[in-house]
Amino acid sequence: MTDEQNSFDALEERLNARKTEYETMPVPDAAYQAVQSGIRQAARKRKSRLRWYMSSISVAAFILLFTGCIRVSPAFASFVEQLPGMEGIVSMIRQDKGLMMAIDKSLLQQVGVTDEHDGASLTVEGIITDESRMVIFYTMKGMKDSESFNYDIDLLDENGKDLPVAFSYASPKPASDKNVYEDMIDVIFTDGALPPEELSVVFKSRDTASAEEWKLTFPVDKNLTKGMKKVIPVNQTLTVDGQRIDVKQATLYPTRLVLDVNFDPKNTKKVFGLSDLQLVDEQGRAWRTDTSTGGDERSIYFESMYFSIPKKLTLQGSGFSGLDKKDLNLSLDLKSRQITGGPPGLKMVGSKVEGNDLIIDFSVAGSMQGGFVLSFENVKDSEGKSYEIPGTSWSSGEGTDDSHTIVSSTIENGAKLKGELKMNISTYPMKIKSPFSLEIPVNP
């Protein structure tokens, strides 16, 4: 056996050991699961900018669902060698077949830029990007509250302006080195936005007393994936439980596949998302989806099969999460807790003031597990003043009743609110089972 093969085998052993750590990660008690669900629209900075925050339980569940055998190619080994100490992150992204194939094709840009002060440092190790997605790998060393991740992140272009993108990140995971944490920022380019010429990643402490900030600026090499985009026309219509869904096209990028769909405005239900959605090839391999953006016109994101284009591809799902459109709007009397409109079974069970914010507790029938959480938009008081809802959390059970879930919605600067509120439901945990499938013409 060659020294090179011994090196690969040793690396694979380390990676599988890290994967085992993630598989056995204790999942926090679902009795209180904070779900920062991407409803946080940063309108104060830029309306087109969205953020998704993934909680630790979501990440743990993500890893448990998509564990698999880790094999090491020379390009993959080189990737790990470029990012020393990040075997844990590699174990996570190894479950994304498309992303790892892109890395195997040497599309990773090594960065290695560090900002260090007061004994704490933050390093962007590398990025991989195309016209649809950017993944930023980073490590934190000696920073306070790394595990609880008491930091906000900003992404700035070469002019110092917020990127008009959506991005998600989680609390970072401990690396093999003491007091070193590692994770990634997953960026979606929406509404025609493209990667900047230069990127600044800014971490800001949420501790207002310290106001600490770490800023890392580096050029973005867009030539690595330039011209690597394939458009596949589909132009077919699905009917799921009476709701029409037009599947327009699929666009293949090295890091993901983007499926563009249109939900017919004449549909009687508001479709929040399609359930158990996946693309299946002729060998039975499933290419999963992680998220989507948009309203009736929506982009759904899947793992990429760019470097392994199948002969046949079928879109499959078990139904959708949705609600009758007539149940989307409601009025809430904060004093009497009376709800007028909205879906049957929705109840207000309490409220409290925290600082300048008002937190309202709702009771919802069923479980939030594996589905959408109750969330609101267009919240207005009796005078027509609008309020933001920056976060939602939930806990199981209404008293001793485990058939209900308590959902807590934070109304920013709503501490002095009284009287009646008008609210629109933006997501709701109502699942409709109606299996469907549609063949995607891979080579039209």
Side-chain angles (χ1 to χ4, degrees):
M1 186 176 291
T2 66
D3 291 341
E4 183 180 36
Q5 185 60 51
N6 282 330
S7 175
F8 287 177
D9 289 345
L11 173 58
E12 187 173 357
E13 184 177 346
R14 296 203 314 272
L15 291 173
N16 277 306
R18 292 307 302 275
K19 181 170 77 71
T20 300
E21 291 178 19
Y22 282 107
E23 289 174 344
T24 57
M25 182 189 302
V27 178
D29 187 348
Y32 187 80
Q33 169 53 39
V35 179
Q36 303 283 1
S37 60
I39 305 153
R40 182 170 185 170
Q41 298 194 17
R44 293 177 300 279
K45 294 186 178 179
R46 192 165 184 166
K47 285 190 176 181
S48 58
R49 180 181 175 205
L50 306 176
R51 296 187 184 190
W52 283 273
Y53 298 93
M54 295 172 59
S55 62
S56 58
I57 188 173
S58 301
V59 176
F62 171 86
I63 297 163
L64 290 171
L65 280 171
F66 301 107
T67 53
C69 180
I70 294 176
R71 299 303 304 170
V72 179
S73 70
F76 181 43
S78 174
F79 163 68
V80 179
E81 289 168 359
Q82 291 175 36
L83 307 180
M86 290 194 69
E87 291 96 335
I89 298 302
V90 174
S91 296
M92 254 199 292
I93 64 173
R94 188 60 175 176
Q95 316 314 322
D96 186 325
K97 296 186 288 291
L99 190 58
M100 291 315 301
M101 279 193 285
I103 290 173
D104 282 347
K105 295 295 182 179
S106 301
L107 298 183
L108 175 80
Q109 176 189 340
Q110 187 175 3
V111 177
V113 174
T114 300
D115 185 13
E116 181 176 5
H117 51 86
D118 298 327
S121 67
L122 188 105
T123 301
V124 171
E125 306 285 0
I127 64 171
I128 182 168
T129 189
D130 54 31
E131 294 177 25
S132 174
R133 180 187 188 190
M134 176 188 291
V135 181
I136 305 166
F137 303 98
Y138 70 88
T139 56
M140 307 170 72
K141 185 175 182 180
M143 295 177 70
K144 297 177 182 178
D145 302 319
S146 295
E147 190 168 5
S148 60
F149 201 76
N150 193 27
Y151 299 90
D152 285 320
I153 295 177
D154 286 330
L155 301 178
L156 312 177
D157 64 14
E158 58 272 15
N159 299 313
K161 295 183 178 180
D162 289 318
L163 289 181
V165 298
F167 60 98
S168 65
Y169 54 91
S171 298
K173 305 298 174 291
S176 54
D177 296 333
K178 186 177 180 180
N179 204 22
V180 175
Y181 289 79
E182 56 195 16
D183 213 281
M184 63 188 188
I185 305 166
D186 203 340
V187 182
I188 299 173
F189 296 107
T190 57
D191 299 325
L194 293 172
E197 298 294 330
E198 184 179 83
L199 176 66
S200 291
V201 182
V202 182
F203 283 66
K204 296 184 292 187
S205 174
R206 294 181 188 141
D207 182 358
T208 56
S210 65
E212 293 179 293
E213 180 177 298
W214 287 260
K215 185 175 182 180
L216 305 103
T217 301
F218 50 89
V220 176
D221 186 356
K222 295 188 284 189
N223 289 325
L224 286 172
T225 56
K226 186 177 181 179
M228 298 178 73
K229 171 183 174 180
K230 300 177 182 178
V231 178
I232 303 171
V234 180
N235 298 319
Q236 298 186 60
T237 299
L238 276 168
T239 301
V240 186
D241 192 49
Q243 312 306 305
R244 285 174 53 92
I245 305 168
D246 296 321
V247 184
K248 297 188 291 185
Q249 68 178 29
T251 307
L252 260 175
Y253 300 91
T255 64
R256 66 164 31 116
L257 179 146
V258 182
L259 189 68
D260 291 323
V261 302
N262 182 63
F263 295 89
D264 193 329
K266 296 179 182 178
N267 286 340
T268 59
K269 297 181 185 294
K270 173 71 174 179
V271 179
F272 305 127
L274 300 173
S275 304
D276 303 316
L277 198 61
Q278 59 183 3
L279 291 167
V280 181
D281 67 13
E282 73 281 356
Q283 300 179 41
R285 293 182 299 177
W287 307 82
R288 63 178 177 79
T289 179
D290 50 11
T291 189
S292 64
T293 60
D296 285 339
E297 292 190 6
R298 192 172 307 182
S299 294
I300 305 174
Y301 304 102
F302 292 84
E303 291 176 291
S304 174
M305 65 285 293
Y306 189 94
F307 298 105
S308 180
I309 297 179
K311 297 178 181 178
K312 181 181 178 181
L313 203 56
T314 303
L315 178 69
Q316 297 180 353
S318 64
F320 62 89
S321 176
L323 199 62
D324 287 340
K325 289 183 177 178
K326 63 181 177 59
D327 293 330
L328 293 173
N329 303 321
L330 60 89
S331 296
L332 171 63
D333 189 311
L334 292 172
K335 184 177 181 180
S336 67
R337 301 183 182 178
Q338 182 70 35
I339 294 177
T340 304
L346 178 64
K347 296 189 297 183
M348 175 183 169
V349 294
S351 64
K352 62 181 178 180
V353 172
E354 284 192 0
N356 295 323
D357 302 332
L358 175 66
I359 300 175
I360 303 177
D361 296 328
F362 296 90
S363 173
V364 183
S367 169
M368 304 292 114
Q369 298 286 358
F372 284 86
V373 176
L374 168 66
S375 60
F376 298 96
E377 60 185 358
N378 299 327
V379 179
K380 295 183 179 180
D381 63 18
S382 57
E383 297 179 353
K385 182 180 178 180
S386 297
Y387 294 84
E388 297 287 335
I389 297 187
T392 300
S393 64
W394 58 266
S395 58
S396 298
E398 180 182 354
T400 59
D401 182 1
D402 289 334
S403 66
H404 288 75
T405 300
I406 303 301
V407 178
S408 301
S409 297
T410 300
I411 300 181
E412 194 171 49
N413 297 318
K416 296 181 180 180
L417 277 172
K418 298 184 185 300
E420 188 176 85
L421 291 180
K422 293 190 180 299
M423 313 170 77
N424 300 119
I425 293 175
S426 55
T427 60
Y428 195 79
M430 177 71 75
K431 284 191 174 182
I432 291 93
K433 289 192 175 296
S434 182
F436 61 88
S437 66
L438 178 71
E439 187 168 331
I440 304 295
V442 179
N443 296 298

